[in-house]
Amino acid sequence: MKNFSQIGFILATLGSSIGLGHIWRFPYMAGQNGGGAFVLLFLVLLLVIGVSLLLADMIIGNRGKKDVVSCFEMLDPTPTKKWKYAGIAIIGGPLILSFYAVILGWILYYLVVVSFDLPKDLRTSKQTFEYLMGAGIYWQIIGFSGCLFLSALIVSFGIKKGIELLNLVLMPLLFIIFIGLLVYTLFQPSFLKAWHFLFDFKYEAIDANVLISALSQVFFSLSLGVGTIITYAAATSNSQNLFKSALWIVLTGLLISIIAGLMIFTFFFGYDGDLGEDSTQSIGLVFISLPLIFSEFGSTGQILSVAFLLALLFAGITSTISMLEPMVSFLVNRHNFSRISATWGVSFIVFIIGMFALYSMTKDYKALLSFGGKNIFVWLNFLTASFIMPLSSLCCILFLGFVIKKDTLRSYTTSFLNHTLFEIWYFIIRFVAPIVIVSILIFKLLEPQ
């Protein structure tokens, strides 16, 4: 396996979460969970638990140098080597990809259709999104299939030729566009309302559901618990400063989340949007709000819309490839598949699941493809965020905190953690993070659905 460069690793890891976790998911999760209360918990959990979990994944990958299952097996000091089964985390990526590629299809539709006929008011913008969810089913299929095909094509080229090259080009472009849009947002009358919504920390609004949502957002925003970080870190050199890389990833991603939230809520509130309405408490919040930004610029807005949606599509593609790579790497290393056959085989399975997820949101098939009050699309999101990702991360920190000897673990970290930082991190992965994750998992299991 060819190694990432240092900057390539950081950009690839950022790319795995920016489209999925920061731009699409953060705003609608904040909208669903009361804004400031959610943001406060997210900040605390991200900086305390998120950094620690991210570093744990990086260490396992950097030391194992192979696929996720093999990394656990190689580092496992026990004779039975049963910790290799913690590598089950790799199933999370394809499951997430099966519904996330659907969302990329929506972006593609907005890029090639809506950008040239931008809605002028919130009502029209909602109707545009509702059309896509209903009569626009064939647009969804085309977009979903095209984005999944492109992701598979990139992964089939491997780490250096595919994943790193893509991120080195696309991630800086995304940052430039985002900064430009933020500058424009600062001068809008509704910016202060968006600011207060996100940063007025209403402690009384904090409850168990908000806490669960904030923790699940930490996993999504860092691509934790699906094997992505372990797989990418396996392609880093032993001289990589993992702690510095983790901080860059967390802080940069946090900045993108905040910018995305401020932009979307500024224009949503500017058009008198009501977060109490069902349609705006959904995954469509980004798609309903963003076109309103660009419509203000007239014909120039069409150009800006195309540029932004291209960047958003690129960010999404970097997320999708990160969901494919762990399973592909496993099949290549453990079962001697060629990279091409592994990539397209996994992608075909993702396509089948994704088609069920896509049709489960349509009027004609929603009842047939729903159970327990959730359609397949919602179930995939719920199961991966609430159970697969937390459980996989729990296995990871228990493995490092209680299976690997402390002296051995310390030898892995001497080049980037001093004694004090190591002790703090070690305490968090042994006690703080497991208690938080287990408590929330128990609550989620006992919660009536």
Side-chain angles (χ1 to χ4, degrees):
M1 179 183 290
K2 295 182 179 180
N3 283 347
F4 279 120
S5 64
Q6 184 164 343
I7 187 62
F9 171 65
I10 294 173
L11 289 176
T13 307
L14 271 174
S16 73
S17 60
I18 282 181
L20 178 64
H22 298 296
I23 299 174
W24 165 64
R25 202 173 192 273
F26 178 83
Y28 94 77
M29 291 298 289
Q32 284 184 326
N33 292 280
F38 168 84
V39 174
L40 173 63
L41 288 175
F42 173 68
L43 285 172
V44 173
L45 291 172
L46 181 69
L47 296 175
V48 176
I49 294 180
V51 174
S52 299
L53 295 179
L54 184 62
L55 187 56
D57 272 10
M58 287 180 177
I59 290 171
I60 291 175
N62 181 260
R63 289 291 161 175
K65 298 295 185 189
K66 291 189 177 181
D67 62 275
V68 177
V69 175
S70 297
C71 283
F72 276 100
E73 187 176 49
M74 289 182 63
L75 298 179
D76 186 1
T78 64
T80 58
K81 300 290 184 180
K82 289 184 178 180
W83 278 94
K84 67 182 179 183
Y85 295 111
I88 194 67
I90 59 176
I91 69 169
L95 290 178
I96 292 173
L97 178 55
S98 64
F99 70 84
Y100 184 55
V102 173
I103 300 168
L104 285 187
W106 302 348
I107 296 174
L108 192 59
Y109 171 77
Y110 271 72
L111 174 65
V112 301
V113 177
V114 180
S115 288
F116 302 99
D117 186 20
L118 293 168
K120 302 298 189 295
D121 56 69
L122 189 62
R123 179 173 174 272
T124 305
S125 191
K126 288 180 182 178
Q127 289 175 343
T128 300
F129 185 74
E130 289 166 2
Y131 165 79
L132 180 61
M133 294 296 100
I137 181 65
Y138 294 110
W139 276 107
Q140 291 195 64
I141 294 172
I142 293 170
F144 162 69
S145 303
C147 291
L148 185 58
F149 174 84
L150 180 59
S151 302
L153 187 64
I154 294 167
V155 172
S156 67
F157 282 105
I159 290 288
K160 293 292 288 187
K161 292 182 179 179
I163 297 173
E164 179 170 357
L165 181 61
L166 181 78
N167 282 285
L168 285 172
V169 174
L170 300 185
M171 296 313 299
L173 173 63
L174 181 67
F175 290 133
I176 291 170
I177 294 174
F178 249 59
I179 295 301
L181 289 172
L182 176 63
V183 172
Y184 176 76
T185 303
L186 290 171
F187 295 97
Q188 300 306 302
S190 53
F191 176 80
L192 284 178
K193 186 174 181 180
W195 178 272
H196 287 299
F197 176 72
L198 289 175
F199 296 110
D200 284 354
F201 300 132
K202 298 177 181 178
Y203 300 98
E204 67 276 9
I206 296 176
D207 58 23
N209 285 320
V210 176
L211 181 61
I212 291 169
S213 297
L215 185 63
S216 71
Q217 180 58 26
V218 169
F219 288 114
F220 259 97
S221 68
L222 298 177
S223 294
L224 295 169
V226 291
T228 297
I229 306 302
I230 294 176
T231 302
Y232 280 5
T236 58
S237 66
N238 289 334
S239 61
Q240 181 96 9
N241 188 322
L242 299 181
F243 182 61
K244 185 177 179 180
S245 297
L247 289 179
W248 269 108
I249 291 162
V250 169
L251 295 178
T252 306
L254 176 60
L255 179 63
I256 290 290
S257 289
I258 298 301
I259 292 175
L262 287 172
M263 284 194 311
I264 288 165
F265 287 116
T266 292
F267 285 89
F268 186 73
F269 292 142
Y271 283 87
D272 299 320
D274 180 6
L275 286 170
E277 300 176 23
D278 289 341
S279 61
T280 59
Q281 290 191 24
S282 71
I283 52 180
L285 180 60
V286 169
F287 299 94
I288 292 169
S289 301
L290 284 178
L292 299 175
I293 302 177
F294 305 113
S295 66
E296 300 228 337
F297 293 92
S299 58
T300 304
Q302 295 177 349
I303 299 173
L304 292 174
S305 178
V306 169
F308 179 81
L309 288 170
L310 270 175
L312 187 58
L313 182 66
F314 293 157
I317 292 296
T318 60
S319 295
T320 60
I321 61 179
S322 75
M323 296 297 109
L324 271 178
E325 181 62 25
M327 181 64 78
V328 170
S329 178
F330 168 75
L331 293 174
V332 170
N333 291 329
R334 302 277 299 195
H335 298 285
N336 297 318
F337 279 71
S338 69
R339 172 165 281 272
I340 291 176
S341 61
T343 300
W344 293 106
V346 174
S347 298
F348 177 75
I349 295 172
V350 169
F351 176 80
I352 298 300
I353 299 173
M355 288 297 290
F356 279 104
L358 192 157
Y359 271 95
S360 74
M361 293 183 292
T362 63
K363 182 179 179 181
D364 293 338
Y365 294 93
K366 184 175 182 180
L368 179 65
L369 298 175
S370 297
F371 51 97
K374 296 181 177 69
N375 61 44
I376 292 177
F377 185 102
V378 174
W379 270 114
L380 288 168
N381 188 6
F382 172 77
L383 290 174
T384 52
S386 299
F387 293 103
I388 293 177
M389 298 173 90
L391 277 172
S392 298
S393 286
L394 180 63
C395 289
C396 176
I397 56 178
L398 290 178
F399 177 68
L400 288 184
F402 295 94
V403 179
I404 301 293
K405 292 181 179 180
K406 185 177 181 179
D407 289 343
T408 301
L409 192 57
R410 180 66 184 123
S411 69
Y412 294 162
T413 63
T414 50
S415 62
F416 53 86
L417 289 180
N418 61 33
H419 176 75
T420 302
L421 285 175
F422 173 79
E423 292 295 335
I424 293 172
W425 172 74
Y426 192 63
F427 179 78
I428 291 173
I429 66 166
R430 277 175 62 90
F431 302 109
V432 179
I435 289 172
V436 171
I437 294 173
V438 169
S439 299
I440 291 177
L441 283 171
I442 291 174
F443 177 86
K444 204 65 181 177
L445 287 171
L446 297 178
E447 181 186 36
Q449 300 300 323

